[in-house]
Amino acid sequence: MATMAGMASRVYADHAATAPMLPAAREAWVAASQHVGNPSSLHSPGRHARRLVEEARERIAGALRVRPSAVVFTAGGTESDNLAIKGLYWARHRDNGAQRILLSAVEHHAVLDPVQWLVDDQGAKAQWLTVDSLGRVVTDDIAEALAHGDVALCTVMWANNEVGTVQPVAEIAALCRAAGVPFHTDAVQALGHLPMDLTAVGASAVTISSHKVGGPFGAGALIVDPTATLTPVLHGGGQEREVRSGTLDAPAVSAFAVAVEHAVTGQEERARHLAALRLDLVSAITQVVPDAVLNGDPGVGDDRRLPGNVHMSFPGCEGDLLLMLLDAAGVDCSTGSACTAGIPEPSHVLLAMGVDPATSRSSLRFSLGENSTQHDVDAIAAALPAAVDRAKRAGSPNLRKL
Ligand code: PLP
């Protein structure tokens, strides 16, 4: 069985997929799981479990500087995105008949797919917000779209999971607020990596996920502004303010709270460490593979790119093959894009940025985390030339077809 300790000789550069669980989060999970008790039960063990949940809510609210009642626990980022998109849409549509959903073309599938379902099944209309060549939303388009008045909601992610581009969420939130339109942002990749002042941004709903910040899988939250109205997606016991049903996982949310506090308190130092490593990695890669191309915002010295994100295209290579060759060499990374029926699909994010399909399929994402080191950078740079050489020689049937 592979553990992080057992993988010490490997280089883990896929923190955007999931981050190693923090020892303190694991301890909190183990301590909480020693106790029996449903947080909704009225007896002493139930009240103990309830106390753990409410303490976790207060700790997360404290770290994010929002009211505890704003924190709605869910089973992760995907559920939070679904609750935000469907919940805000249904409430607004019922209220004033609005049908249009504004969304960026670079959203995660946890946002894209619920919107597509609302379009296919519920009569919603999607309006795609274009992005520039760095993957950043063009805010003029939002102002223009909002002027039409039949917008049910707008959703734009805080930072992109593939290319790391940070979106102007404060500006977008202000435009939506002025137009009286609910604004949701998926902050799954931003938490712990970027400064996040939720009060200043003032979004209607913000998605966060536990396993991306060193907490356990299967926990997340939607941070909901008190003025926002959401129609529930899950019906049942109404445990989370009637907005979300399901028995709360007290051990998981306790550990999630530890991870969120850690993510927020260490953010500045982590970002500095990661940004320095990222710049080293980009320059090491371009030294050993001179035709490699960095995608997204160069983001030197500011908050325009996730600090630990390196996303590069390797012309003439097929990304999935390169990934497997690096895997065999002990380096874990990602292509970032989906594979349908075994055929690598070009990334919708890169396509929206104007990258051609072949280049898109030749891309890899290396995402660094707080335990990443200079040794990891050196090991990636050492493994790449042979892998790139083999991938180029193997070619790709899919690329050859183009
Ligand atoms: N949103 C973004 C931007 C993500 O990167 C991810 C996971 O990769 C999700 C949502 C889904 O989160 P979860 O894995 O907690 O369901």
Side-chain angles (χ1 to χ4, degrees), residues 9-241:
S9 57
R10 295 189 68 83
V11 172
Y12 186 72
D14 202 13
H15 289 80
T18 196
M21 198 158 162
L22 294 165
R26 190 178 303 115
E27 275 166 31
W29 190 92
V30 170
S33 66
Q34 319 269 342
H35 301 275
V36 69
N38 183 321
S40 298
S41 297
L42 296 179
H43 46 59
S44 302
R47 293 201 305 277
H48 175 76
R50 169 58 57 186
R51 209 161 36 247
L52 290 179
V53 168
E54 295 314 320
E55 277 169 16
R57 196 187 309 280
E58 278 168 26
R59 289 175 73 171
I60 291 174
L64 298 175
R65 287 180 284 133
V66 296
R67 289 192 230 173
S69 60
V71 179
V72 174
F73 286 120
T74 66
T78 301
E79 189 195 327
S80 296
D81 282 342
N82 271 264
L83 175 58
I85 305 292
K86 294 172 185 165
L88 288 171
Y89 178 80
W90 283 326
R92 278 278 285 180
H93 182 63
R94 194 166 45 200
D95 192 36
N96 69 359
Q99 281 180 300
R100 245 166 359 118
I101 302 174
L102 309 185
L103 76 162
S104 87
V106 296
E107 295 300 304
H108 189 273
H109 275 284
V111 166
L112 292 180
D113 293 14
V115 171
Q116 194 57 51
W117 179 80
L118 287 170
V119 170
D120 294 341
D121 203 82
Q122 307 271 302
K125 293 178 180 147
Q127 180 165 350
W128 300 92
L129 302 168
T130 45
V131 296
D132 62 18
S133 60
L134 304 179
R136 187 163 290 113
V137 167
V138 181
T139 45
D140 286 352
D141 287 0
I142 301 183
E144 203 184 305
L146 287 168
H148 293 294
D150 62 337
V151 179
L153 74 124
C154 173
T155 178
V156 176
M157 68 205 318
W158 200 302
N160 184 263
N161 50 296
E162 286 187 39
V163 296
T165 301
V166 178
Q167 301 293 350
V169 282
E171 196 185 334
I172 300 169
L175 288 169
C176 290
R177 220 172 20 254
V181 168
F183 173 60
H184 164 249
T185 183
D186 175 335
V188 165
Q189 296 290 342
L191 182 62
H193 292 268
L194 299 171
M196 274 181 44
D197 185 340
L198 297 192
T199 311
V201 167
S204 313
V206 180
T207 291
I208 58 172
S209 169
S210 157
H211 74 100
K212 306 287 185 177
V213 291
F217 289 105
L222 188 66
I223 312 299
V224 183
D225 186 83
T227 61
T229 311
L230 290 170
T231 302
V233 172
L234 298 182
H235 297 90
Q239 284 87 344
E240 286 291 88
R241 294 198 288 115

Side-chain angles (χ1 to χ4, degrees), residues 284-297:
I285 291 176
T286 37
Q287 224 160 14
V288 294
V289 187
D291 60 349
V293 180
L294 179 72
N295 297 306
D297 198 305

